[in-house]
Amino acid sequence: MRKYFDNRRLGRIFIYTILALFAAYSLFPLYIMVITSFKTMAEIRGGGILLPPGTLNLESWTIAWSGSGECTQGVACTGMKGYFANTLLMVIPAVGISTLLGALNGYVLTKWRFRGSNLLFGMLLLGCFIPFQVILLPMAQVLGQLGLSGSLVGLTFVHVVYGLAFTSLFFRNYYITVPSELIQAARIDGAGFWRIFLRIILPISAPVFVVSVIWQFTQIWNDFLFGVVYSDSQSQPIMVALNNLVNTSTGVKRYNVDMAGALIAGLPTLIVYVIAGKFFVRGLTSGAVKG
Amino acid sequence: MFSLDRWDVAYTNLIKFSVCFIILCVLIGLFLAILLDQKIRVEGALRAMYLYPMALSFIVTGTVWKWILNPEFGVERIVQNLGFESFTFDWLVNPEMSIYTVVIAGIWQSSGFVMALFLAGLRGIDNQIIHAASIDGASLPTIYWRIIIPGLRPVFFSVLIILLHIAIKSFDLIIALNNAGPGYSSDVPATFMYTYSFSRGQIAIGSASATIMLMVIIAIVVPYLYSELRSEKHA
């Protein structure tokens, strides 16, 4: 009995050690990012990437946010604040519109079935898997014809279209659990398409709205490829700005500014994750696998 | 396009990257999920720590790992400071190895997510079967190997599809990490398509590579979706 107990205890220690090691591996880059962003360049060159900074040096954060003031062109000079605003201006309408349209799609696909609605759903699912690269060129033509290329409106439009597949999927999977008898009864009572949607469906949709909003926000905020292709220098979103900041070849490399910039770009989604992690995970799993 | 040496590099890299990335992600994810399933006290906190990279952009991930793997200041320096003077770790600037730095960063970002999927699968397995098996004298490893892992088959399937899909789409990470370099040594079809379409203006070649990507994705995804939708109808 005693030996069994010892073995079990050893096993537990082993398990906790491994789990802790992985947690350290997972947190390591975040730690590096934070401490590097507070160091001076002299400290960085002095060595010890692992060592915490001697003093809390905020200079790199101000440079990353509002620029160094030494020049006027590009993100290295103007800082990321303009691009941060760009991204906000794009994210809010894109998330709102794609979520609402997704809710409508889900409602129609489950409660107002028509011939071929299953096929349509299959095609929507396929839409979740299409690589960005495939739609880049055709979408560029569409934007050109609409006169929206190189603008925030165009970029928002692209995100709405691409996000629709995902939001429709979320809402469809949620509404399929709503009993159809409820809708039937309402129809017998004379309620129409919109009335049922507004009075019955929407009031019970809060959880799936949260999932959809968080998912879309994270996706759009983190997007790089659409941003780099469909924007001009005035309308670049934040990830493009970050990449430009890090990969500028002019001047001295300032790693602390790079890290502060990466944190600024990463913070909004991290905050969302910390506040609403449960919904975030739900979105990930249901966005990637069905239901 | 098929006569271009760069295309050869791109798709060989994609194969190298996908194989390493998928195998390691699955192994790490499954291993962590099994460990976390042993009634761990701080499970919630650990899960949050493993999963948070998924909330970050690939650009942010690339930026950080670029710094960590930097031969001058990063991992190489840490190990050298520990006393191993001759230690070198220059994968980021070594054309032979640069694609594997993408694997390292990719695993960091995605293995937590794989863990979450497997954990959900593990929780879905009927406890009574496990209980019955342990009464019959099966040891814990046997239970896992013979009962639980086969029971996770559908999860494996989903995980494979998702990871493959991430691998084929991976673009941001490579751009941020080493810009498909040195040279074009860590090019994949996604970056190839981008370079030809937008930097070099050879849109025809860009479109051809995009079409190949679409065909590969469709070949993988359509049968998967078909079987998923069918089983849903039967259920």
Side-chain angles (χ1 to χ4, degrees):
Chain A
M1 194 63 205
R2 173 82 216 191
K3 184 155 192 310
Y4 171 77
F5 189 72
D6 277 353
N7 270 340
R8 237 182 99 76
R9 216 161 136 182
L10 262 175
R12 297 303 280 184
I13 293 173
F14 173 73
I15 289 174
Y16 276 102
T17 315
I18 303 251
L19 286 175
L21 278 177
F22 269 101
Y25 167 68
S26 167
L27 290 176
F28 175 65
L30 189 64
Y31 168 74
I32 295 285
M33 246 198 297
V34 173
I35 60 162
T36 309
S37 74
F38 287 119
K39 283 181 189 172
T40 60
M41 268 320 281
E43 278 180 297
I44 290 175
R45 271 188 233 99
I49 188 173
L50 292 172
L51 298 173
T55 51
L56 225 52
N57 172 37
L58 290 171
E59 195 201 0
S60 51
W61 282 77
T62 35
I63 294 181
W65 180 249
S66 47
S68 56
E70 290 156 12
C71 44
T72 51
Q73 285 291 308
V75 60
C77 312
T78 59
M80 291 172 79
K81 60 172 191 270
Y83 304 97
F84 198 90
N86 272 349
T87 316
L88 273 183
L89 277 178
M90 171 188 76
V91 161
I92 293 168
V95 170
I97 297 171
S98 62
T99 300
L100 282 178
L101 287 178
L104 266 178
N105 273 349
Y107 169 54
V108 172
L109 280 173
T110 53
K111 300 302 170 219
W112 296 79
R113 285 170 181 268
F114 50 89
R115 272 178 73 100
S117 62
N118 258 338
L119 185 69
L120 188 70
F121 176 60
M123 281 157 67
L124 267 177
L125 273 181
L126 188 62
C128 300
F129 285 97
I130 288 181
F132 285 14
Q133 280 76 17
V134 173
I135 65 167
L136 279 183
L137 292 170
M139 190 58 106
Q141 281 181 338
V142 171
L143 286 181
Q145 276 159 11
L146 292 174
L148 292 175
S149 43
S151 70
L152 270 182
V153 183
L155 200 52
T156 312
F157 174 75
V158 176
H159 280 300
V160 169
V161 172
Y162 196 83
L164 259 184
F166 291 92
T167 54
S168 306
L169 176 67
F170 294 144
F171 282 98
R172 185 259 180 200
N173 284 343
Y174 184 76
Y175 290 152
I176 207 153
T177 60
V178 176
S180 287
E181 288 78 12
L182 206 68
I183 311 298
Q184 297 291 334
R187 276 168 93 171
I188 291 168
D189 288 345
F193 178 88
W194 289 105
R195 217 178 141 81
I196 296 177
F197 182 62
L198 293 175
R199 290 294 173 82
I200 300 177
I201 298 289
L202 274 190
I204 56 170
S205 311
V208 67
F209 263 96
V210 177
V211 170
S212 171
V213 165
I214 289 178
W215 169 268
Q216 281 296 90
F217 176 79
T218 314
Q219 290 300 305
I220 299 174
W221 187 274
N222 287 346
D223 164 70
F224 172 73
L225 183 54
F226 287 154
V228 78
V229 174
Y230 298 133
S231 64
D232 55 17
S233 58
Q234 292 307 305
S235 59
Q236 277 172 353
I238 192 148
M239 289 305 157
V240 181
L242 173 63
N243 192 50
N244 290 345
L245 177 74
V246 174
N247 289 324
T248 39
S249 41
T250 50
V252 195
K253 201 89 203 75
R254 280 192 278 216
Y255 296 105
N256 47 0
V257 176
D258 290 358
M259 291 302 122
L263 275 172
I264 290 173
L267 267 182
T269 48
L270 266 186
I271 291 172
V272 167
Y273 172 70
V274 169
I275 295 174
K278 196 178 71 182
F279 293 101
F280 177 78
V281 177
R282 208 181 291 167
L284 271 181
T285 44
S286 68
V289 207
K290 55 116 208 173
Chain B
M1 176 180 70
F2 290 114
S3 63
L4 288 172
D5 177 46
R6 185 161 180 174
W7 174 253
D8 282 343
V9 173
Y11 79 75
T12 338
N13 268 339
L14 179 64
I15 296 172
K16 279 188 208 163
F17 170 66
S18 315
V19 170
C20 298
F21 172 70
I22 291 175
I23 293 180
L24 287 171
C25 265
V26 167
L27 285 182
I28 294 174
L30 182 60
F31 184 59
L32 285 180
I34 290 177
L35 290 187
L36 267 187
D37 201 31
Q38 310 298 319
K39 302 189 177 63
I40 297 298
R41 209 168 294 160
V42 284
E43 189 199 309
L46 282 171
R47 257 194 358 215
M49 282 181 215
Y50 295 149
L51 208 58
Y52 86 91
M54 206 62 197
L56 288 176
S57 159
F58 276 118
I59 297 290
V60 175
T61 307
T63 307
V64 181
W65 281 98
K66 184 187 189 143
W67 168 232
I68 292 175
L69 298 172
N70 182 317
E72 206 181 326
F73 297 108
V75 173
E76 184 175 298
R77 178 90 163 256
I78 298 173
V79 180
Q80 281 174 357
N81 285 352
L82 287 175
F84 302 95
E85 297 288 335
S86 59
F87 179 84
T88 49
F89 189 79
D90 59 351
W91 287 12
L92 200 60
V93 290
N94 179 344
E96 297 269 298
M97 302 304 286
S98 53
I99 189 70
Y100 297 105
T101 58
V102 185
V103 176
I104 296 176
I107 289 173
W108 177 74
Q109 181 134 21
S110 307
S111 56
F113 172 47
V114 176
M115 181 276 302
L117 286 178
F118 275 125
L119 196 60
L122 283 176
R123 297 279 152 85
I125 288 176
D126 193 352
N127 267 327
Q128 288 188 330
I129 305 175
I130 299 165
H131 196 64
S134 68
I135 288 175
D136 287 348
S139 65
L140 200 61
T142 323
I143 293 179
Y144 269 103
W145 191 243
R146 287 291 170 81
I147 299 174
I148 296 184
I149 292 183
L152 287 177
R153 238 186 60 152
V155 185
F156 267 105
F157 205 56
S158 307
V159 166
L160 281 182
I161 296 276
I162 296 161
L163 288 180
L164 198 60
H165 174 238
I166 295 181
I168 292 178
K169 283 210 306 199
S170 57
F171 167 81
D172 314 13
L173 186 59
I174 296 176
I175 293 289
L177 199 59
N178 48 19
N179 208 357
Y184 53 81
S185 59
S186 54
D187 227 357
V188 294
T191 53
F192 177 93
M193 183 271 166
Y194 178 79
T195 314
Y196 274 89
S197 305
F198 299 102
S199 311
R200 296 191 168 196
Q202 287 171 292
I203 291 185
I205 293 181
S207 309
S209 58
T211 312
I212 301 252
M213 287 173 69
L214 181 64
M215 291 196 306
V216 173
I217 289 270
I218 285 185
I220 297 165
V221 166
V222 166
Y224 166 73
L225 289 182
Y226 187 69
S227 69
E228 286 276 313
L229 286 176
R230 266 178 70 101
S231 62
E232 202 172 74
K233 225 174 270 173
H234 287 301

